[in-house]
Amino acid sequence: MGDARRPRSGRSGRARGTVLGSRPAYSVRLPPPPRAEPEAAAERTVPWLRVAAAYAWRLILVGAAVYGVFSVLGSFQLVAVALFVALVVTSVLRPPTDLLARFLPRPLCGH
């Protein structure tokens, strides 16, 4: 029986200086070549559906813009209501003010 550390006579099928379990550089696996891309989904749809989709996203965009404008205007609701009430009160009090202006001098009426 021979020594276990001593190489056996004959060729073992590997080159001298290589480590067990390693591969030579020429046997590295390359990724497979890219496949031809299948036809895009937009190319498979009918034209009227593509037109409808184009109008749909535009309509959604306009709806979002209108919602944004009304949201901003809604934050001014308190100011707008107060201004409207002030204008109504002013217009309602105008006739009594004109009536008092006939009998009292203007500085006493508040003008």
Side-chain angles (χ1 to χ4, degrees), residues 7-27:
R8 289 192 272 173
S9 60
R11 296 188 76 165
S12 64
R14 61 185 166 127
R16 196 172 266 254
T18 59
V19 180
L20 265 177
S22 67
R23 292 182 174 171
Y26 60 84
S27 69

Side-chain angles (χ1 to χ4, degrees), residues 14-106:
R14 61 185 166 127
R16 196 172 266 254
T18 59
V19 180
L20 265 177
S22 67
R23 292 182 174 171
Y26 60 84
S27 69
V28 172
R29 292 186 184 180
L30 298 175
R35 295 181 183 174
E37 288 294 320
E39 198 173 330
E43 301 294 325
R44 292 191 308 250
T45 57
V46 290
W48 63 267
L49 187 59
R50 274 185 266 155
V51 171
Y55 279 113
W57 76 260
R58 289 181 180 108
L59 187 63
I60 290 171
L61 190 64
V62 168
V66 168
Y67 175 77
V69 167
F70 277 108
S71 295
V72 169
L73 290 178
S75 65
F76 295 118
Q77 180 181 4
L78 182 63
V79 174
V81 169
L83 184 64
F84 176 74
V85 169
L87 289 173
V88 168
V89 168
T90 302
S91 65
V92 168
L93 290 179
R94 180 67 185 202
T97 305
D98 289 340
L99 184 64
L100 285 175
R102 287 187 198 169
F103 303 108
L104 298 174
R106 279 288 187 184

